[in-house]
Amino acid sequence: MITFGPVSSRRLGKSLGINNIISPKVCSYGCIYCQVGETVKKSIKRETFFQPELIDKKVEQHLKQLNRDNFPDYLTFVSNGEPTLDKNLRTAIKLLKKQGIPVAVITNASLMMLESVREDLFLADWVSIKIDAGDNKTWQVINRPCPDLDFEGILTGIGIFSKEFGGILCTETMLVDGINDSVENVSNISEFIKKINPHKAYLSIPIRPPTFKSVKPPVAEVVTRAWQIFNNKHIKTELLTGFEGTDTGYTGNIYEDILNITAVHPLREDSMMELLLKNNADFQVVDSLIKQRLIKKVLYNNNKYYLREYHLHI
Ligand code: SF4
């Protein structure tokens, strides 16, 4: 299936998914946490999958079937593999833009050293790039790249892209327990991300069945620590832990407000107290959410934080 959705996402609102890579999965990476299974064909060769005209036609047909109130905010390339392996990506984006809906691409950024890939992505309105490692060794372990790829070359390509791209650039970092979640790993990753100055950096965790069963999300304390490391570098950072909380999240309902905010970032106890006070509520609300296992209290740097409690969907 070339199109699917629309699906709701905090990052993109309503997004109509486009899979421009033919099954079985073709990707330049074989990430240990991949949710679409083991990479069948690991490649960095750009090739033709679907004709761009077919992609455009399928999107048009899909849009015609949707009610006005279910119309997508974005047409999003989120593929069964790596979307920039499609050498007709530029033409596909050009055609799709005629639909009058912004185009987003979620890429692993592994082909960013190629000028042709950067130029294709310049046409998109929103691009998310994967940055799971700040050093070659960790990159090999977590992303299991095609042997022809060069870590430094990718970072250079991302750097060039970030300077020239006129749209919204975001990063996504998947934190995996014991693989890339140490202070050193997260500091290296954040150091690089700070340089490219994204609109937002997202920290995600593997909550759906990964390719390797041994892959686990870090504990809440470690996720909080990672968020703090990013935050201390003044990087606008949000958590993606499977909850669709809103950024500001003030609904007037204290329960919902706490759930919305803690889905996006850890809430320090003094901010929690302020929020309760503003809503004429007391600490029983927090106790009740902890009892229901909807939020969790974690300690970091002698401060108490509250965070949405996440569970594995196995
Ligand atoms: S880059 Fe994406 S599709 Fe490719 S292996 Fe990693 S998670 Fe899976």
Side-chain angles (χ1 to χ4, degrees):
M1 209 194 311
I2 295 179
T3 59
F4 57 93
V7 288
S8 289
S9 86
R10 197 174 70 231
R11 290 184 292 175
L12 294 167
K14 276 198 198 99
S15 144
L16 184 81
I18 300 168
N19 176 16
N20 61 331
I21 304 292
I22 287 172
S23 281
K25 182 183 158 198
V26 187
C27 193
S28 47
Y29 282 177
C31 303
I32 54 173
Y33 57 77
C34 185
Q35 294 164 5
V36 289
E38 186 65 272
T39 302
V40 177
K41 183 173 162 193
K42 210 181 263 185
S43 164
I44 58 164
K45 188 169 167 280
R46 302 194 82 194
E47 53 185 300
T48 296
F49 296 96
F50 299 105
Q51 288 304 323
E53 292 75 16
L54 178 67
I55 294 177
D56 186 45
K57 196 170 141 209
K58 291 284 176 195
V59 169
E60 195 178 345
Q61 284 170 350
H62 200 130
L63 289 173
K64 276 192 185 139
Q65 289 164 9
L66 299 175
N67 297 329
R68 270 277 136 199
D69 53 0
N70 201 23
F71 228 60
D73 301 301
Y74 276 94
L75 303 175
T76 308
F77 285 86
V78 47
S79 310
N80 185 28
E82 171 47 35
T84 61
L85 283 170
D86 179 357
K87 73 172 182 192
N88 296 314
L89 182 62
R90 183 181 324 198
T91 315
I93 296 176
K94 266 191 193 158
L95 286 173
L96 289 171
K97 289 196 88 164
K98 291 192 187 140
Q99 307 277 359
I101 302 173
V103 174
V105 183
I106 298 180
T107 169
N108 67 16
S110 63
L111 303 182
M112 281 277 189
M113 66 287 185
L114 300 176
E115 197 179 349
S116 62
V117 168
R118 297 196 298 268
E119 290 201 333
D120 290 6
L121 292 173
F122 283 151
L123 294 177
D125 301 279
W126 186 100
V127 173
S128 169
I129 56 176
K130 184 188 290 301
I131 304 176
D132 292 336
D135 64 276
N136 180 54
K137 204 168 141 211
T138 312
W139 176 61
Q140 295 289 344
V141 175
I142 192 163
N143 298 127
R144 301 193 308 144
C146 214
D148 304 324
L149 286 172
D150 162 48
F151 184 65
E152 290 303 326
I154 294 173
L155 296 190
T156 306
I158 292 175
I160 298 171
F161 181 76
S162 68
K163 284 198 188 88
E164 295 175 6
F165 181 49
I168 299 172
L169 177 67
C170 295
T171 63
E172 184 170 345
T173 301
M174 180 72 90
L175 295 172
V176 177
D177 180 38
I179 304 287
N180 66 343
D181 62 344
S182 70
V183 172
E184 193 192 348
N185 284 144
V186 175
S187 298
N188 286 342
I189 295 168
S190 60
E191 210 43 63
F192 178 69
I193 290 181
K194 186 180 160 64
K195 279 189 207 144
I196 63 168
N197 190 24
H199 170 74
K200 224 166 244 180
Y202 291 95
L203 292 174
S204 55
I205 53 167
I207 46 161
R208 301 217 163 67
T211 300
F212 289 89
K213 288 205 168 59
S214 57
V215 166
K216 298 275 179 289
V219 294
E221 285 75 3
V222 172
V223 174
T224 303
R225 183 178 72 194
W227 185 80
Q228 281 293 343
I229 293 172
F230 271 59
N231 214 36
N232 290 345
K233 293 204 168 97
H234 308 291
I235 301 167
K236 263 204 195 164
T237 310
E238 282 190 17
L239 302 178
L240 289 177
T241 51
F243 303 105
E244 291 302 318
T246 56
D247 195 355
T248 47
Y250 298 105
T251 64
N253 175 325
I254 184 66
Y255 286 91
E256 269 184 43
D257 285 356
I258 294 173
L259 292 177
N260 275 339
I261 297 165
T262 53
V264 179
H265 61 76
L267 192 57
R268 215 168 63 184
E269 191 161 65
D270 50 356
S271 308
M272 177 69 91
M273 297 314 280
E274 246 176 65
L275 190 63
L276 291 169
L277 199 71
K278 241 188 355 205
N279 284 273
N280 292 324
D282 61 29
F283 210 75
Q284 276 179 13
V285 174
V286 178
D287 283 336
S288 149
L289 290 172
I290 291 176
K291 242 185 237 147
Q292 292 174 70
R293 296 189 62 211
L294 291 170
I295 62 171
K296 193 178 170 163
K297 182 164 74 181
V298 294
L299 270 178
Y300 176 71
N301 260 359
N302 297 325
N303 279 310
K304 285 180 198 144
Y305 289 87
Y306 297 88
L307 184 63
R308 269 306 286 263
E309 184 149 14
Y310 45 84
H311 309 275
L312 283 176
H313 303 292
I314 304 283

